[in-house]
Amino acid sequence: MRATGSSRIIPRMIVEPERDALRAALERESRRLVDRVRFAPDLDGRAPGLDWTAGQLVAHLCVIYRAFALTLRGADLDPEIVANLGTGDTLLEMVASTNARAVTVISFPGPREAADGLRECADELLAALDAEVDFRSPRPTPWYGAGVTRTAGTLAALTVSESVVHGYDIARALRTRPWLDESSAASAAPTVMSEMLPLLVDPAAAGFTGSFEMRIRRAPRFVIQLEAGRARSLPAGDVEPDCVLSLSGCDALLVGFHRRSLWRAIAGGGAFATGRRPWLGLRFPSLFQLP
């Protein structure tokens, strides 16, 4: 799906995040990350299933925290950030290229310096969230493509989802037990999924037609409807869904970011499908791409 056309139009958020819950989640997750990084013996281990080391994941989070803090405040991006924006014709290509560049220009001498850098960037982001930003207001997001914008609330929720998922990645890279906080995940997952998944439809899903009501536990419901290779999010109750997917907040993010299979989430009790076509639930993860 190209990052042009409908992706430039910012509809009202289907699920507006709750500011205090997001801020508490970001503070909680970033402090856990900083502590885990600071006391790591090194940051050279690779996260299973990813090409990045723990150190590169920290660099990636630093870039996100810094760029999103500036964007939420309405400030111009640093020239260094602008210079390392990626290129591509689609949102997926833009994000993948930007991420690849970011981890090549930031490095740390050791875990302590990495932790200090991450703490500094997280504090800047927390301060931006304290500034009473209008979560409904659009913000430029050039890392998704020229002219693309997302709401401030979407960006705030993305910082939490990135912290949760990459905290999981970093823990696995360090060969330590991952931490997964359900309240943190649930505060961000509905906004992130409802606002971002429609931009990430897999071209192979062009022949699929169906709708999913997403019931993320301890969070508002919403519907994702797909037809002719496009997707849109709707408030729950606007249409009768074909499939109802119930997920824990953590499983929603891990399945959505392709860190965990839906089968595993179902087996662990973190997900189940109901509705008039419950078997469609197993297709849900394959309908969307990630950078």
Side-chain angles (χ1 to χ4, degrees), residues 29-50 52-62 64-65 103 108 111 114-115 118 161-180 254 259:
E29 297 302 320
S30 62
R31 291 193 182 282
R32 286 174 175 165
L33 277 162
V34 168
D35 288 345
R36 187 68 62 98
V37 169
R38 187 178 303 281
F39 297 106
D42 62 67
L43 301 175
D44 298 329
R46 291 189 179 277
L50 300 180
W52 287 353
T53 65
Q56 289 172 318
L57 287 162
V58 173
H60 172 68
L61 282 171
C62 284
I64 288 175
Y65 286 173
V103 298
F108 307 99
L118 187 62
S161 68
E162 292 277 339
S163 300
V164 171
V165 173
H166 290 314
Y168 174 83
D169 293 333
I170 288 170
R172 297 180 77 207
L174 297 176
R175 304 298 187 266
T176 58
R177 183 178 180 179
W179 65 89
L180 288 169
L254 294 179
R259 297 305 197 271

Side-chain angles (χ1 to χ4, degrees), residues 6-83:
S6 62
S7 63
R8 295 171 185 261
I9 301 170
I10 303 301
R12 66 186 179 92
M13 279 186 290
I14 299 303
V15 181
E16 184 172 349
E18 202 280 307
R19 183 188 308 272
D20 290 343
L22 277 185
R23 195 202 182 283
L26 180 62
E27 182 164 17
R28 183 165 55 244
E29 297 302 320
S30 62
R31 291 193 182 282
R32 286 174 175 165
L33 277 162
V34 168
D35 288 345
R36 187 68 62 98
V37 169
R38 187 178 303 281
F39 297 106
D42 62 67
L43 301 175
D44 298 329
R46 291 189 179 277
L50 300 180
D51 292 332
W52 287 353
T53 65
Q56 289 172 318
L57 287 162
V58 173
H60 172 68
L61 282 171
C62 284
V63 171
I64 288 175
Y65 286 173
R66 174 73 174 154
F68 281 35
L70 291 168
T71 304
L72 286 170
R73 294 205 314 265
D76 292 334
L77 294 177
D78 288 347
E80 184 177 2
I81 294 176
V82 174

Side-chain angles (χ1 to χ4, degrees), residues 84-98 101 142-143:
N84 287 289
L85 290 175
T87 58
D89 294 328
T90 67
L91 183 150
L92 287 167
E93 291 170 353
M94 282 290 298
V95 173
S97 177
T98 299
R101 290 186 182 187
W143 49 85

Side-chain angles (χ1 to χ4, degrees), residues 11-17 135-137 151-154 191 194-195:
R12 66 186 179 92
M13 279 186 290
I14 299 303
V15 181
E16 184 172 349
F135 271 12
R136 298 182 182 90
S137 63
T151 62
T154 299
T191 301
S194 61
E195 297 298 318

Side-chain angles (χ1 to χ4, degrees), residues 66-274:
R66 174 73 174 154
F68 281 35
L70 291 168
T71 304
L72 286 170
R73 294 205 314 265
D76 292 334
L77 294 177
D78 288 347
E80 184 177 2
I81 294 176
V82 174
N84 287 289
L85 290 175
T87 58
D89 294 328
T90 67
L91 183 150
L92 287 167
E93 291 170 353
M94 282 290 298
V95 173
S97 177
T98 299
N99 288 344
R101 290 186 182 187
V103 298
T104 64
V105 298
I106 297 177
S107 61
F108 307 99
R112 178 169 296 184
E113 293 82 2
D116 289 342
L118 187 62
R119 178 74 274 159
E120 180 180 348
C121 293
D123 285 345
E124 184 176 357
L125 180 56
L126 287 164
L129 287 177
D130 286 337
E132 296 301 318
V133 176
D134 179 3
F135 271 12
R136 298 182 182 90
S137 63
R139 291 288 190 272
T141 52
W143 49 85
Y144 296 143
V148 178
T149 62
R150 294 287 91 189
T151 62
T154 299
L155 297 182
L158 279 164
T159 65
V160 174
S161 68
E162 292 277 339
S163 300
V164 171
V165 173
H166 290 314
Y168 174 83
D169 293 333
I170 288 170
R172 297 180 77 207
L174 297 176
R175 304 298 187 266
T176 58
R177 183 178 180 179
W179 65 89
L180 288 169
D181 188 296
E182 184 63 19
S183 59
S184 294
S187 73
T191 301
V192 170
M193 296 178 76
S194 61
E195 297 298 318
M196 298 305 295
L197 285 181
L199 304 182
L200 299 169
V201 178
D202 192 317
F208 178 86
T209 298
S211 57
F212 300 86
E213 181 171 300
M214 308 301 295
R215 297 183 180 180
I216 298 171
R217 297 164 201 170
R218 301 168 61 185
R221 303 173 181 181
F222 62 95
V223 171
I224 295 183
Q225 188 176 61
L226 294 97
E227 185 176 6
R230 294 182 178 273
R232 60 174 181 159
S233 294
L234 302 166
D238 276 17
V239 298
E240 183 181 357
D242 295 299
C243 177
V244 176
L245 271 177
S246 175
L247 299 130
S248 71
C250 292
D251 280 295
L253 289 181
L254 294 179
V255 170
F257 279 80
H258 295 183
R259 297 305 197 271
R260 177 174 293 173
S261 71
L262 188 56
W263 274 114
R264 181 181 169 191
I266 292 171
F272 63 88
T274 59

